[in-house]
Amino acid sequence: MSVRTSGTRNLLVNLLKGAKALTQLTQIHAQIIVNGLQNDLSTLTKLAHKLSDFDAMCYARDLFFSVPKPDLFLFNVIIRGFSSNNMPQSSILLFTHLRKSTLLKPDKFTYSFTVSAASSWFDHGVGVLLHGQAIVDGYESDMFLGSALVDMYCRFSLVESARKVFDRIPVKDPVLYNTMISGLMKNSCFKDSIWVFWEMFRNGGNWLDSTSVAAVLPAVAELQELRLGMGIQCLGLKLGFHDHVYVLTGLVSLYSKCGEIEKAKLLFREINRPDLICCNAMISGYSCNGETESSVMLFKKLLASGEKVKSSSIVGLIPMSFPFGHLRLTDSIHSFSVKTGIVSNSSVSSALTTVYSRLNEIEIARQLFNESSEKSLASWNAMIAGYTQNGLTEQAISLFQEMQMSNVIPNPVTITSILSACAQLGALSMGKWVHGLVRIRKFESNIFVSTALIDMYAKCGSIVEARQLFDLMPEKNEVTWNAMISGYGLHGRGQEAIKLFSEMMHSGIRPTGVTFLSTLYACSHAGLVREGNEIFQYMVHDRGFKPLAEHYACMVDILGRAGQLEKALKFIKGLPVEPGPPVWGALLGACMIHKDTNLARVASEKLFELDPENVGYYVLLSNIYSAEKNYPQAASVRQVVKKRKLAKTPGCTLIEVGETPHVFTSGDRSHPQTNAIYAKLEELSGKMREAGFQSETVTALHDVEEEEKELMVNLHSEKLAIAFGLIATEPGSEIRIIKNLRVCLDCHMATKYISKITERVIVVRDANRFHHFEDGVCSCGDYW
């Protein structure tokens, strides 16, 4: 190359470096051609690099294919350009072209840029294939590629795979550590994220910088580990980057999420010129601490300053932590988002969907979801969670199935929500299918997913499977322990619940209000009066926990179920707070069991005064009168219900056969196999009478659907479901049914007889608990 040509090239390269617009690049390109440098790889590579900076990848692609023999460096520039400009398919296709149509061998940069592109792909399979090829080519231990692979696996929530890549790299740099910390945090593996941070600190404390601290602080904030956060803050002070804006922003979020809003404000004031990110953190901090007015004021101040607010500002402003009472504010934010076009941002629409769902405005939430042009994973998660939280479990499952058909890959948040829906619905077959998906996606290590699985199996009647999963978990939090204790309570296994409660105390995990409530509930459903009283005293006096209404109600239930009604009343009168409906309701339920009309009248009068719209209390009182054959009084109570137009929830029973749910109501004749079901019921009735069964009609009105209209108790929905289960399943197999109300005395007795006659195990989940019927005996011991 001549000196003149070399000088021209240097001039054009300098012009490329200083170019500020795409038009300048096109002019420089023209000069490159005029000066005969159109085949100069070095110059064209720099031009291609600059074109990618200006998001002109179509131009860069045409430039690339105009080069007769592009080298590996040019390939890498174009692959990286496609990846960074959100064109993953083009990036992967060019990599494929490199492998199949050239003699060039990809290096660690080629793989890294292509893996980064695969991170934006709809399926992780492409990334896994790239990882395999990289191993074959000898790049398994490369730090640069390792960072890209860790990021890719974390984006697909394949945390275990990300961790394996990380662990197999012998020498790690700060970028790799920070990628792992960030990836774990984004997948809600907060403790693991902190652990990697400390590993980084131990292995090379001088590596730590503001990026490392900023990456780990969100994990500390989510765990609300204030002391740990303060320790990291001190470390930042010692290393000299405490005043870095990203660190201060992380600390503002930390103190806000730990409820230390005044300290968060103090830190915010330390920032000389808070940028938009800092302001967003403070807006969010105000919102999550219920200081809505301050949040709105700071947002208005941002607008007045001329700052162009972004989606993160809106998300912070939306009152997700304290939504109740803020429907008008939510509507206003929604309107503002529509006017500014920010509502199209998936994070904004997802946050609005979440709040509307929490405010029970589920139709508005669904409309927002439907109108989203690009539904992100967060959008799907928000809507599925919204349905689940509002008890619309069938809609949640249906939307999850739609999400699967849309090729959107679920993450642990999705799985946790859908398992909760399965638990509510009692859809064991669906729950097992989701469990299979958990194994495929390798989500077992996620503590929230594993806890949700335990809860699902327990609430679907599979308490043994729930305990097996519990025992396999290497790490458990308080929610995990609570789920298992609650599961034992639901199944009437009080002693196991108490034993597990004791193990939890020795494990170092602090009990919560839910822990005590679940344990007391287990005691009440197993007749463990002494144990329940000891746990209550331990909660109040040893742990200093202030009981809630639900804890008091559980104690009344424990005493009342055991027949100690006067002690229960004395307990209520000695409460330091005014007893509410849960407490009096527990006493009224006990009066029903022990047929105490006088005390029932006292409890019901209080309930009619405190909660006059709850029809269940009227039904209970009516049933108590009926049990004593005081039919005029029973009719009088039912007349009040009619006059006040109070609606009772109609009863229904669900049974799954295979993967198909079947729902029955009392006297139902809509099922395609109605004739066979009624014939089976008639056959069973005859065999039961021969065995000595007599229908319990005295208390037939107790807590079942439209009792006064039913002519025969043997047409209750649970009996129809059991009869269908007997003709639709294999002989000897277990039958599981779910009743939305409490099972009546007649059906409870009948199911015991049916289990003995048919030699079947029958599992019944009613509104309160599980009943396992086998060989004529119920697991509840008739203590329900």
Side-chain angles (χ1 to χ4, degrees):
M1 181 182 291
S2 67
V3 175
R4 182 175 176 276
T5 303
S6 176
T8 303
R9 187 179 68 173
N10 290 339
L11 174 63
L12 290 171
V13 168
N14 287 330
L15 288 171
L16 282 172
K17 289 179 182 177
K20 303 293 183 185
L22 183 59
T23 53
Q24 292 177 335
L25 289 180
T26 58
Q27 291 170 3
I28 297 168
H29 188 194
Q31 290 301 314
I32 290 171
I33 296 170
V34 168
N35 286 277
L37 294 170
Q38 65 270 22
N39 292 322
D40 184 76
L41 275 176
S42 176
T43 308
L44 292 179
T45 301
K46 289 179 174 61
L47 173 59
H49 192 282
K50 200 70 176 179
L51 284 168
S52 71
D53 291 343
F54 284 99
D55 195 14
M57 286 311 300
C58 291
Y59 192 157
R61 179 173 52 201
D62 292 341
L63 176 68
F64 172 82
F65 284 110
S66 72
V67 178
K69 287 187 179 180
D71 62 2
L72 184 60
F73 191 36
L74 181 56
F75 264 102
N76 287 349
V77 166
I78 301 297
I79 289 171
R80 180 180 177 275
F82 282 137
S83 176
S84 59
N85 284 283
N86 199 28
M87 298 173 70
Q89 187 174 10
S90 297
S91 186
I92 293 163
L93 286 172
L94 189 57
F95 173 84
T96 306
H97 173 69
L98 166 68
R99 293 272 303 187
K100 290 184 175 180
S101 304
T102 75
L103 297 175
L104 298 172
K105 185 180 178 182
D107 62 8
K108 63 179 182 180
F109 300 106
T110 322
Y111 277 114
S112 298
F113 299 148
T114 315
V115 166
S116 294
S119 299
S120 305
W121 200 243
F122 65 86
D123 184 13
H124 69 279
V126 174
V128 174
L129 286 172
L130 287 166
H131 186 188
Q133 289 178 1
I135 292 172
V136 171
D137 284 349
Y139 296 113
E140 183 179 13
S141 302
D142 183 77
M143 283 189 294
F144 190 77
L145 175 58
S147 296
L149 285 167
V150 166
D151 180 64
M152 185 269 293
Y153 281 123
C154 285
R155 286 195 188 202
F156 285 110
S157 298
L158 298 170
V159 175
E160 195 175 321
S161 297
R163 193 61 205 243
K164 284 179 181 177
V165 172
F166 179 81
D167 289 341
R168 286 173 182 169
I169 297 174
V171 181
K172 302 175 179 68
D173 65 357
V175 175
L176 179 58
Y177 270 111
N178 291 342
T179 304
M180 192 73 241
I181 293 165
S182 238
L184 288 167
M185 195 285 299
K186 289 171 184 174
N187 280 280
S188 302
C189 300
F190 306 124
K191 289 185 178 179
D192 291 337
S193 179
I194 294 165
W195 188 89
V196 173
F197 175 81
W198 286 120
E199 182 188 315
M200 179 184 183
F201 176 67
R202 288 192 302 270
N203 291 345
N206 58 325
W207 284 351
L208 289 175
D209 56 14
S210 57
T211 305
S212 312
V213 172
V216 77
L217 279 174
V220 181
E222 289 297 330
L223 291 173
Q224 297 184 4
E225 291 282 358
L226 184 58
R227 291 190 66 181
L228 176 59
M230 292 171 73
I232 293 173
Q233 183 181 8
C234 291
L235 182 63
L237 276 167
K238 184 178 179 181
L239 297 175
F241 46 75
H242 169 268
D243 58 347
H244 286 204
V245 67
Y246 290 135
V247 175
L248 283 172
T249 301
L251 289 169
V252 166
S253 293
L254 167 72
Y255 282 106
S256 298
K257 288 186 177 179
C258 291
E260 299 284 347
I261 190 63
E262 293 304 320
K263 290 178 181 176
K265 292 177 191 176
L266 186 65
L267 283 165
F268 182 70
R269 287 195 290 268
E270 282 186 23
I271 304 170
N272 291 329
R273 292 183 179 178
D275 60 12
L276 185 60
I277 297 172
C278 301
C279 290
N280 290 346
M282 196 67 247
I283 288 169
S284 180
Y286 283 132
S287 291
C288 72
N289 282 277
E291 295 194 13
T292 310
E293 288 185 17
S294 299
S295 180
V296 173
M297 282 177 64
L298 182 54
F299 180 76
K300 287 181 176 178
K301 190 176 177 182
L302 265 181
L303 290 177
S305 70
E307 183 75 57
K308 187 178 179 181
V309 296
K310 296 183 179 178
S311 57
S312 49
S313 312
I314 301 294
V315 171
L317 184 65
I318 295 169
M320 281 191 286
S321 301
F322 294 90
F324 304 106
H326 293 303
L327 179 57
R328 287 185 64 186
L329 172 61
T330 304
D331 286 338
S332 298
I333 297 169
H334 186 184
S335 299
F336 177 86
S337 301
V338 171
K339 287 177 182 177
T340 56
I342 294 178
V343 75
S344 62
N345 182 281
S346 63
S347 61
V348 173
S349 62
S350 299
L352 285 168
T353 298
T354 299
V355 174
Y356 278 125
S357 297
R358 288 177 181 172
L359 291 168
N360 202 24
E361 298 288 340
I362 201 71
E363 289 181 7
I364 301 176
R366 184 58 196 256
Q367 186 180 345
L368 253 172
F369 175 79
N370 290 341
E371 290 174 353
S372 299
S373 54
E374 291 186 16
K375 294 178 179 66
S376 66
L377 177 58
S379 304
W380 289 94
N381 286 348
M383 196 65 245
I384 290 169
Y387 277 137
T388 303
Q389 290 157 10
N390 282 276
L392 302 170
T393 49
E394 290 181 11
Q395 288 93 322
I397 291 172
S398 175
L399 189 63
F400 175 69
Q401 290 168 336
E402 186 182 327
M403 175 184 167
Q404 292 289 99
M405 289 186 287
S406 300
N407 291 321
V408 178
I409 307 298
N411 68 358
V413 176
T414 327
I415 298 298
T416 303
S417 290
I418 207 64
L419 283 171
S420 176
C422 293
Q424 288 181 45
L425 193 60
L428 181 61
S429 59
M430 181 68 180
K432 285 184 173 180
W433 182 85
V434 175
H435 191 181
L437 189 61
V438 167
R439 292 192 187 99
I440 292 168
R441 302 290 302 165
K442 298 182 180 179
F443 289 159
E444 297 100 324
S445 60
N446 186 289
I447 193 169
F448 301 104
V449 171
S450 295
T451 300
L453 278 169
I454 290 167
D455 186 60
M456 183 275 293
Y457 276 114
K459 287 178 178 173
C460 288
S462 300
I463 193 69
V464 174
E465 286 88 342
R467 183 57 195 254
Q468 286 171 350
L469 281 170
F470 178 85
D471 290 338
L472 287 171
M473 286 181 68
E475 182 187 356
K476 305 173 183 74
N477 60 16
E478 65 276 6
V479 182
T480 313
W481 287 92
N482 292 347
M484 197 63 239
I485 292 170
S486 174
Y488 276 136
L490 279 172
H491 289 264
R493 296 168 71 164
Q495 292 292 355
E496 286 99 324
I498 291 171
K499 183 181 177 184
L500 199 62
F501 173 79
S502 177
E503 287 177 22
M504 181 180 178
M505 297 302 100
H506 289 98
S507 73
I509 302 289
R510 295 184 64 181
T512 64
V514 175
T515 313
F516 288 115
L517 185 63
S518 299
T519 313
L520 290 171
Y521 178 89
C523 292
S524 74
H525 281 267
L528 303 176
V529 180
R530 178 181 58 80
E531 293 88 340
N533 186 59
E534 287 175 357
I535 288 167
F536 185 82
Q537 297 304 321
Y538 172 75
M539 174 182 76
V540 176
H541 300 296
D542 294 6
R543 286 286 178 173
F545 191 90
K546 188 177 180 181
L548 302 174
E550 291 78 10
H551 296 98
Y552 291 130
C554 254
M555 278 307 299
V556 172
D557 197 45
I558 287 171
L559 295 168
R561 282 177 185 273
Q564 300 178 22
L565 295 175
E566 290 302 324
K567 278 189 177 181
L569 183 61
K570 185 179 178 182
F571 178 83
I572 292 172
K573 289 180 177 179
L575 293 181
V577 295
E578 191 67 30
V583 173
W584 290 112
L587 183 61
L588 183 60
C591 291
M592 173 63 211
I593 295 168
H594 299 287
K595 301 177 177 60
D596 190 323
T597 312
N598 294 327
L599 198 52
R601 194 177 293 109
V602 174
S604 59
E605 284 174 2
K606 287 286 186 182
L607 286 165
F608 297 158
E609 178 187 330
L610 293 168
D611 192 5
E613 301 302 313
N614 192 322
V615 69
Y617 302 137
Y618 293 91
V619 173
L620 269 175
L621 184 60
S622 172
N623 289 343
I624 292 169
Y625 284 130
S626 294
E628 288 201 333
K629 298 185 179 180
N630 190 345
Y631 299 119
Q633 283 284 38
S636 174
V637 174
R638 293 201 299 275
Q639 200 62 35
V640 172
V641 172
K642 287 182 179 179
K643 283 182 179 179
R644 302 195 65 170
K645 296 181 179 179
L646 300 176
K648 187 178 186 301
T649 303
C652 63
T653 301
L654 178 144
I655 180 171
E656 275 191 322
V657 176
E659 295 184 2
T660 306
H662 301 261
V663 179
F664 294 88
T665 56
S666 181
D668 197 343
R669 288 186 176 274
S670 62
H671 196 277
Q673 292 178 258
T674 289
N675 292 337
I677 291 168
Y678 275 77
K680 188 67 177 179
L681 203 54
E682 185 64 31
E683 177 194 330
L684 286 171
S685 296
K687 290 182 178 179
M688 287 160 61
R689 281 193 295 271
E690 289 175 9
F693 172 74
Q694 289 184 330
S695 293
E696 174 57 72
T697 56
V698 177
T699 56
L701 299 177
H702 173 57
D703 204 13
V704 293
E705 67 283 13
E706 306 212 40
E707 297 85 356
E708 69 275 9
K709 297 180 183 177
E710 293 181 1
L711 299 175
M712 297 177 66
V713 290
N714 68 339
L715 296 183
H716 284 181
S717 62
E718 45 264 68
K719 288 178 182 168
L720 294 172
I722 291 170
F724 173 67
L726 288 169
I727 64 175
T729 59
E730 292 293 323
S733 61
E734 185 177 271
I735 293 173
R736 295 167 180 260
I737 66 170
I738 298 167
K739 177 75 184 287
N740 68 328
L741 303 176
R742 184 178 170 187
V743 66
C744 76
L745 182 60
D746 181 75
C747 286
H748 190 269
M749 183 64 71
T751 308
K752 288 199 288 185
Y753 274 83
I754 293 170
S755 71
K756 187 172 183 65
I757 290 167
T758 62
E759 297 181 347
R760 296 277 199 120
V761 173
I762 303 172
V763 180
V764 179
R765 185 181 107 180
D766 70 7
N768 289 350
R769 58 169 295 158
F770 276 92
H771 302 264
H772 295 255
F773 298 90
E774 186 172 8
D775 195 29
V777 178
C778 180
S779 60
C780 72
D782 296 334
Y783 195 85
W784 57 282

